[in-house]
Amino acid sequence: RMVGSAVLASRFVCLCCGHPRSAMFGLVLPLLSAAADPSRVVVTPKLSWSLLAWGWKNGGKDDTDGKKVVDVDLDEDTDKIRGLVEKGHIVVCYFSSGTLEGFRPDCDAGSDGKCRKNAKKWEPLIVGKMQGWDEAWLDITNLDGLKEVMAPRFQRAAQYGCHAVEPDNIDCYDNDDCSKPKSAQIAYNKWQAEYAHSLGLAIGQKNAAGLSKDLESSYDFVVNESCDVYEECDTYSNYLAANKAVFSVEYRTDTKHCKDLCKCAAEEGIQKKFCDGNEKSSGSCSDDQGCICIHGSWHDCFPTESPLPPTECTSGKYSGSKCEGDAITV
C-alpha cells in the first residue's frame, strides 16, 4: 500500500454530502457461485486510463476526456459512476479489501476510531495497525469472516454499475504489521477474483508484485504504484503476455532505474502516469518513492483516445452498460 488511503479526508467529506447509498450489509444480492465465468469487460494493454480514486493529497485528480478506463472510489457519487459508464468509459471501483477503512459507510468509525456499524464483524478481524495510514490490517486467515464483510462491497460495485474492482492491500503476508502465511493470502485473493467474476466484474491486482505468478490466471489487469522505483515492473510481464493491461503510477519524474519514465513505459508495455509535484519535492516527505502528489497534474505516457474505443467483453457483446450474460441484473 503506497497511497490508497491518502484521500481519507476528502472521501469522508463526500460521504457526508448526502450521496445516494445502499444500506451497508443490507444488500440482498446472493453470494453467487457460477458454474462458468459470466461475461465481463476485457481490459487490454493499450487502453488509456484516468485515476480519480487516489494518489493526491486532497483526493484523486485527473482528466477523463479521451481516457477509456476511469478508476474511481467505490463510494464515489453513484450518479457520477453511471455518468461515466454512459459516456463509454470502463469504470474501475477502488476499495481496500486487506484493511479496515474506518471512513467507509459499512464501518462509519467514530472519533475513537471504532466502527459504529458492524463492529462485531470488523473487530475480530483486526490484526494490527497499518503503519503510516489510519487503517488496520485484517486477518487473512479468517476467510469466512472476510467474506462476510467484503462480499457486500463487491455487490455494491455491481449495483452501482462499476465494470471492475480494484481491491487494495492484498499483500498482508508481505508486511511486518500483518505477517500471515502466503498461502492464506493467495486463497483470499483468489476468492476475491472468483467472487468478482461471479458478479460480472473484472478485477485488478493492486501492487503485490510477488504474487503475480500466482494470481495472473485469476485476475484481469494490474494497477501498480512505483514499480520503476522498486525495479519490479517486469514482474507483471505475464499479464502483458496474456493481453492484460498493466496501469502504473510513479510519484516522481525519474528513478535510479529509469531517467525517462515514458521511454521505459513504452519498452515495458505499461500504461504509465507520473507527477512532478510530490511531497518529497516540497520537503515534507523522506520516502525515496516520492510519497504522494500535491500539485500540478499527472503526466501520461500514452495518448488520449477520441473517440473512445468500443468496450470488449470476454464473451458476447457489450450492450448498454454491461456485457451480455452478466451474472446479475442490478
Side-chain angles (χ1 to χ4, degrees):
R1 168 62 161 256
M2 313 288 183
V3 300
S5 62
V7 296
L8 183 149
S10 61
R11 288 180 188 166
F12 184 80
V13 170
C14 178
L15 290 175
C16 297
C17 292
H19 294 317
R21 295 287 181 266
S22 295
M24 299 302 100
F25 293 108
L27 295 172
V28 295
L29 298 176
L31 303 190
L32 298 173
S33 178
D37 286 346
S39 184
R40 59 186 181 276
V41 297
V42 174
V43 187
T44 53
K46 295 299 182 181
L47 292 179
S48 55
W49 70 298
S50 173
L51 179 55
L52 301 178
W54 43 265
W56 287 79
K57 187 73 171 180
N58 295 313
K61 176 183 176 182
D62 206 349
D63 294 323
T64 60
D65 291 343
K67 312 285 182 65
K68 179 61 178 178
V69 178
V70 181
D71 192 341
V72 303
D73 189 82
L74 174 62
D75 291 307
E76 181 59 80
D77 182 353
T78 53
D79 287 339
K80 183 174 182 178
I81 292 173
R82 293 189 179 103
L84 289 168
V85 171
E86 290 172 359
K87 291 180 180 178
H89 299 282
I90 292 175
V91 179
V92 178
C93 290
Y94 168 93
F95 61 91
S96 177
S97 64
T99 62
L100 170 61
E101 301 170 292
F103 64 89
R104 296 267 178 213
D106 53 14
C107 167
D108 187 27
S111 58
D112 60 358
K114 295 183 178 180
C115 293
R116 291 180 290 194
K117 294 181 180 178
N118 306 296
K120 291 183 179 179
K121 295 179 181 180
W122 286 111
E123 289 178 4
L125 293 172
I126 296 173
V127 294
K129 173 107 171 67
M130 187 181 203
Q131 296 241 349
W133 304 102
D134 190 16
E135 300 180 30
W137 287 104
L138 301 176
D139 186 357
I140 57 174
T141 65
N142 187 347
L143 187 54
D144 288 340
L146 288 170
K147 289 180 180 180
E148 187 173 9
V149 296
M150 289 300 163
R153 290 189 176 177
F154 286 86
Q155 294 168 5
R156 284 162 55 203
Q159 184 188 52
Y160 292 170
C162 310
H163 296 109
V165 288
E166 178 202 349
D168 200 358
N169 302 307
I170 61 170
D171 56 356
C172 161
Y173 83 100
D174 198 30
N175 283 269
D176 292 338
D177 302 327
C178 183
S179 193
K180 295 288 181 179
K182 183 178 181 180
S183 58
Q185 185 73 73
I186 292 172
Y188 178 38
N189 293 354
K190 287 190 172 182
W191 169 80
Q192 293 179 65
E194 291 166 1
Y195 192 60
H197 291 166
S198 77
L199 298 173
L201 296 167
I203 184 170
Q205 176 182 323
K206 178 65 176 291
N207 295 326
L211 296 178
S212 291
K213 290 182 179 179
D214 301 288
L215 299 183
E216 181 276 317
S217 62
S218 300
Y219 280 65
D220 302 293
F221 58 96
V222 169
V223 182
N224 167 268
E225 297 165 277
S226 304
C227 69
D228 269 306
V229 167
Y230 296 113
E231 299 185 25
E232 60 187 19
C233 295
D234 61 343
T235 61
Y236 302 113
S237 60
N238 55 338
Y239 276 88
L240 295 169
N243 202 34
K244 299 175 181 180
V246 177
F247 303 116
S248 181
V249 301
E250 301 290 339
Y251 302 110
R252 50 189 299 158
T253 56
D254 60 29
T255 69
K256 293 179 181 178
H257 167 66
C258 181
K259 297 305 178 183
D260 185 335
L261 290 175
C262 287
K263 180 180 178 181
C264 292
E267 293 172 349
E268 295 157 347
I270 291 174
Q271 298 296 74
K272 179 83 71 180
K273 294 177 179 288
F274 66 91
C275 70
D276 56 9
N278 57 31
E279 286 183 313
K280 187 174 178 65
S281 66
S282 70
S284 60
C285 167
S286 60
D287 192 319
D288 286 339
Q289 73 149 19
C291 290
I292 191 171
C293 305
I294 57 173
H295 60 79
S297 61
W298 289 116
H299 298 270
D300 294 334
C301 295
F302 50 84
T304 56
E305 301 174 280
S306 181
L308 294 178
T311 300
E312 299 180 359
C313 301
T314 54
S315 64
K317 298 185 301 181
Y318 186 80
S319 178
S321 62
K322 64 173 190 167
C323 292
E324 292 180 348
D326 276 355
I328 58 174
T329 300
V330 294

